[in-house]
Amino acid sequence: MPTDTENTYESKTVRAVRGLESRTIEKMESGGWEVVSQTPGRIQTEIMFRRPAPRSRRVLWIVGGGVFALALAVIFAIGIIGERDTDSAETASPPSSEKAAPSEQPSIEATVAAQAPQPEPNDVVLTPENSPELATVLALTDYCSPDIAAFAAAHRGQTISFPGSVGDIAPYEGASTRYLILLGAGDFSETSAPGPAFQFRDVNTTDDMRWGGSVPDTIVVGTNLSITAKVDRYEERSCLFLLEPVATSVR
């Protein structure tokens, strides 16, 4: 039987869209909940919360003239909440060692022209066919692999092109026409999702997508796309690989 000093808890499990966990945690903590664990998935993170439960009444039954104190019953409420909230938290600003602005590039290129061979220029579009490194990253089964972080750091600002698909769409900061679009490598599948967890952040589904040809009436989860985008950055906290659209078309 629990003593007066023992605590009992009620728990709640919440599912938040990847990248929006901090907003969900903040809302729950304002209600007295504390985080117990987080289990990230490719599209959603499952977060377990708990808080002290109200002390239950002890109910006494008299059996055969004897008084027996029954054990306290604690009811655990398991609530599954589909979170489509927004998280405006961003990662730190780019490192100071980032490449010089385009306006400074001509003088740098002139300086190093006679030196050893340099890395591929930023205007070369990397594809799985011409970049074994990109092909390897797109085939990874762990979207939190350090190889993805290394690729993003090495090719920041460069353009990549690959076949992909829409894994999830969520409103950005409560807006009705701005979205977080989660992208996977290759054709859409409900049973497998290789490659990084790419994301277009704070985009609309018209001009920002830079559609090639006609603009589709709508894009939904499962839409297969041809994606050309600039490498932005990799967020180690969320394992999201952020891209900026350059050209998009429906496959």
Side-chain angles (χ1 to χ4, degrees), residues 1 57-71:
M1 176 182 297
R57 285 189 172 184
R58 292 185 175 89
V59 181
L60 301 180
W61 285 0
I62 301 177
V63 179
V67 179
F68 298 90
L70 297 181

Side-chain angles (χ1 to χ4, degrees), residues 192-203:
S192 64
F198 294 111
Q199 186 186 75
F200 288 159
R201 179 175 292 176
D202 186 17
V203 296

Side-chain angles (χ1 to χ4, degrees), residues 12 18 27 75 81 103 141:
K12 184 185 294 288
R18 291 291 308 285
K27 290 177 60 179
I75 300 175
I81 301 175
S103 60
T141 56

Side-chain angles (χ1 to χ4, degrees), residues 172-225:
Y172 177 74
E173 294 190 347
S176 59
T177 59
R178 310 293 297 180
Y179 300 95
L180 300 164
I181 302 179
L182 188 68
L183 304 165
D187 292 344
F188 178 79
S189 171
E190 294 182 350
T191 59
S192 64
F198 294 111
Q199 186 186 75
F200 288 159
R201 179 175 292 176
D202 186 17
V203 296
N204 59 36
T205 56
T206 53
D207 296 340
D208 290 347
M209 296 293 286
R210 307 292 180 86
W211 293 107
S214 60
V215 178
D217 294 334
T218 183
I219 58 172
V220 296
V221 173
T223 302
N224 288 325
L225 303 172

